[in-house]
Amino acid sequence: MAELTSPTHGADVADGDQGGVARDSQAAMWTWRDRLSDADIDRIRRGTDDVSGRFYGDEDWDGPPGG
């Protein structure tokens, strides 16, 4: 499975290409930052804070390290 999650692959795939696609799993976990507006992220964060605050810190909302 490691060969499908390597940093040598892209972070995202085209619509309809999901499933069994090789991609960089470390980078892929941050693709939501590019898909949502800052307003959407803020709304989601405020709406889920009572639960998400127990599991995620500010760094989890801010983006990848060095990004």
Side-chain angles (χ1 to χ4, degrees):
M1 188 57 103
E3 67 275 4
L4 295 176
T5 61
S6 167
T8 60
H9 302 294
D12 208 354
V13 296
D15 288 344
D17 286 343
Q18 292 86 2
V21 178
R23 68 179 124 202
D24 177 355
S25 58
Q26 278 293 103
M29 75 177 190
W30 293 105
T31 57
W32 60 271
R33 292 286 305 158
D34 297 326
R35 293 179 182 157
L36 300 173
S37 70
D38 288 341
D40 288 335
I41 293 168
D42 184 56
R43 179 180 52 81
I44 293 166
R45 187 172 184 181
R46 284 184 285 112
T48 62
D49 192 54
D50 58 330
V51 174
S52 66
R54 292 185 243 164
F55 303 99
Y56 302 102
D58 291 338
E59 67 280 0
D60 298 309
W61 291 94
D62 293 339

